[in-house]
Amino acid sequence: MTDLPVLKERLVGDHGYSVLAIAALIFFAMGFVTWLNGPLISFVRVAFSLSEFSSFFIPLTFYFSFFLFSLPTSLLARRLGLKQGLALSVLLSALGIAIFGQFVAWRIYAGALTGLLVLGAGISLMQVVINPLVSLLGPSDRAAQRIAVMGICNKMAGITAPIVLGILVMHNIGAVAEQAQTEKNPAIREALLNHFVQALYVPYLAMAGILVMIALIVTVAPLPNLEAPVILAGRGSQQRFFKPHLLVGFIAMFLYVGVEVMAADAIGTYGQGFGLPLDETKFFTALTLSGMLIGYLMGFIIVPRFIKQESYVQLSCLTGCFLTVMAYLTQGYASVFCVALLGVTNAMVMPTVFPIAIRGAGHMTALASALMVMAYSGGAIVPQFYVWLKPTFGFQGLFAAIVVPSYLVILTYAWRYGRVGLTARE
């Protein structure tokens, strides 16, 4: 591995802009395919005539793939290296997108979920190699700022994705859902739904083609390999790999991704709880991601110029608790707006927690990164838990009961471990 100070100087001089541009392109593509999940929940519920619980297999399958594939892909990443690992990850994502689109067109739900599993495997590999690159490409106290820049690209794609899907594919979803429920003739009903799902096919094939082009760009790009500097203990000996800040960071990340998906992908279902129409709720994910974009821009400006990244996250968690309580106390659009504003408070959590957790991993950086990517499975478990229990406890109260404690755990993590490993270098 190249020494970090020497590598930084070389990157800034020759390849810095190209490396950042490629990372930004990958984060944009990753955001576009990831944040389609929110409106897809409503889409598959209509297209496959599913219950709400079954429609949430979309985020369940996608985010569970991070838990399933992160460790295997970390071993693959160490063998292939950064460039080949990234290229393969984008190609796998393209394959997953193509499989999903094809099986949706055939109206085979299990096959479509298989496509999401393949897509998740590709993005797992992508996360394992791209996050350490951005985290370590500069001073530790500015790691959150660098990831925030990538997050801006990710969330700009996330804002665009639901709007594009809503306009091109789901523009008449309300009428289709109503007609499918009232149609007595099975043949006419099947013909209606078959026509509805065909609109997804071409856009998904186009996305797969674009991802293949990005993979080709990665193969010819100059990309470095980085390792997190080790944290030394006592007489200069390296501490054990499974450090508390990594293990607790896994828990914090698990809860954070669960909260993020609750605020972004599940916001449509939350709005439907108030009786809001499908033709409006299909765009609600874009509201949350707009909030995240604002949060990233704020973090980029403020951190660490005016406040340390760890303190900023603690303030974000407190604000998130307040907004969640307000969502519980209000109704209709006001409550939905409070949930959407959680995007602002969520924005800087992952960019802060991830770099803290992998500090001191040394040559095990890929494995530490894989463990943190495994924690993204919180996006599978937490929303499914919510959908399962909300008929019993009510969608507003259960939302608050899940989200507020999660924020408090993340706040405690940032307070307890935020500066670990930095004292000796500051």
Side-chain angles (χ1 to χ4, degrees), residues 60 74 80 109 124 168 178 222 229 232 237 252 280 302 312 349 366 388 391 414 424:
L60 175 67
S74 72
L80 294 177
Y109 190 43
S124 294
L168 294 182
E178 183 178 356
L232 299 179
S237 61
E280 294 180 4
I302 295 172
Y312 187 84
V349 176
W388 178 43

Side-chain angles (χ1 to χ4, degrees), residues 331-355:
Q331 298 290 315
Y333 292 107
S335 182
V336 169
F337 184 65
C338 289
V339 172
L341 284 177
L342 293 179
V344 180
T345 63
N346 288 342
M348 292 299 290
V349 176
M350 195 282 281
T352 300
V353 171
F354 199 103

Side-chain angles (χ1 to χ4, degrees), residues 60 74 84 92 118 128 139 147 158 169-170 211 225 278 310 351 380:
L60 175 67
S74 72
Q84 290 181 326
L92 274 176
V118 175
V128 165
I147 297 183
V169 179
M170 299 170 60
L211 289 176
N225 289 312
L278 277 171
E310 300 80 16

Side-chain angles (χ1 to χ4, degrees), residues 63 65-66 84 126-127 232 265 275 285 325 330 336 345 353 409:
Y63 286 100
S65 66
F66 291 122
Q84 290 181 326
M126 191 185 300
Q127 292 272 11
L232 299 179
D265 289 349
T285 295
V325 172
T330 54
V336 169
T345 63
V353 171
V409 171

Side-chain angles (χ1 to χ4, degrees), residues 91-173:
L91 287 175
L92 274 176
S93 300
L95 177 62
I97 286 287
I99 292 173
F100 181 85
Q102 185 63 68
F103 277 101
V104 165
W106 288 338
R107 292 187 62 213
I108 302 175
Y109 190 43
L113 293 177
T114 302
L116 285 182
L117 203 64
V118 175
L119 172 62
I123 295 183
S124 294
L125 178 57
M126 191 185 300
Q127 292 272 11
V128 165
V129 293
I130 198 69
N131 279 321
L133 170 66
V134 179
S135 296
L136 300 172
L137 197 62
S140 296
D141 64 346
R142 290 182 176 268
Q145 188 183 58
R146 291 190 298 277
I147 297 183
V149 175
M150 299 300 107
I152 290 170
C153 299
N154 183 280
K155 267 52 187 187
M156 286 179 65
I159 294 168
T160 307
I163 295 174
V164 171
L165 191 69
I167 293 174
L168 294 182
V169 179
M170 299 170 60
H171 60 90
N172 62 339
I173 187 172

Side-chain angles (χ1 to χ4, degrees), residues 14-32:
D14 298 329
H15 303 306
Y17 290 112
S18 62
V19 171
L20 291 176
I22 291 166
L25 179 64
I26 291 171
F27 269 87
F28 185 91
M30 193 161 53
F32 198 94

Side-chain angles (χ1 to χ4, degrees), residues 54 84 162 304 320 374:
S54 297
Q84 290 181 326
M374 286 177 69

Side-chain angles (χ1 to χ4, degrees), residues 65-308:
S65 66
F66 291 122
F67 183 86
L68 194 62
F69 294 113
S70 291
L71 283 178
T73 56
S74 72
L75 299 176
L76 186 62
R78 293 190 69 181
R79 178 178 293 272
L80 294 177
L82 181 63
K83 180 184 293 189
Q84 290 181 326
L86 272 180
L88 178 60
S89 73
V90 180
L91 287 175
L92 274 176
S93 300
L95 177 62
I97 286 287
I99 292 173
F100 181 85
Q102 185 63 68
F103 277 101
V104 165
W106 288 338
R107 292 187 62 213
I108 302 175
Y109 190 43
L113 293 177
T114 302
L116 285 182
L117 203 64
V118 175
L119 172 62
I123 295 183
S124 294
L125 178 57
M126 191 185 300
Q127 292 272 11
V128 165
V129 293
I130 198 69
N131 279 321
L133 170 66
V134 179
S135 296
L136 300 172
L137 197 62
S140 296
D141 64 346
R142 290 182 176 268
Q145 188 183 58
R146 291 190 298 277
I147 297 183
V149 175
M150 299 300 107
I152 290 170
C153 299
N154 183 280
K155 267 52 187 187
M156 286 179 65
I159 294 168
T160 307
I163 295 174
V164 171
L165 191 69
I167 293 174
L168 294 182
V169 179
M170 299 170 60
H171 60 90
N172 62 339
I173 187 172
V176 171
E178 183 178 356
Q179 189 174 349
Q181 288 178 350
T182 58
E183 179 59 57
K184 303 299 183 183
N185 189 321
I188 295 177
R189 183 175 179 277
E190 288 300 302
L192 172 70
L193 294 178
N194 285 332
H195 178 74
F196 175 64
V197 299
Q198 292 303 315
L200 190 79
Y201 185 63
V202 173
Y204 265 66
L205 285 186
M207 283 192 292
I210 292 171
L211 289 176
V212 171
M213 293 176 59
I214 293 175
L216 294 176
I217 292 173
V218 170
T219 59
V220 299
L223 298 174
N225 289 312
L226 295 175
E227 288 182 354
V230 300
I231 299 175
L232 299 179
R235 300 173 182 174
S237 61
Q238 187 177 350
Q239 294 180 359
R240 63 189 184 278
F241 171 66
F242 290 105
K243 303 175 179 71
H245 70 274
L246 174 60
L247 297 180
V248 183
F250 178 94
I251 297 172
M253 185 65 77
F254 181 93
L255 294 174
Y256 163 68
V257 178
V259 168
E260 182 183 273
V261 174
M262 289 278 286
D265 289 349
I267 190 173
T269 298
Y270 185 90
Q272 291 164 28
F274 294 112
L276 303 180
L278 277 171
D279 287 322
E280 294 180 4
T281 60
K282 67 185 180 184
F283 294 117
F284 283 177
T285 295
L287 292 177
T288 303
L289 296 178
S290 297
M292 293 194 78
L293 178 59
I294 294 171
Y296 276 121
L297 292 171
M298 290 172 56
F300 180 76
I301 294 170
I302 295 172
V303 178
R305 188 175 294 111
F306 301 108
I307 185 173
K308 294 178 179 179

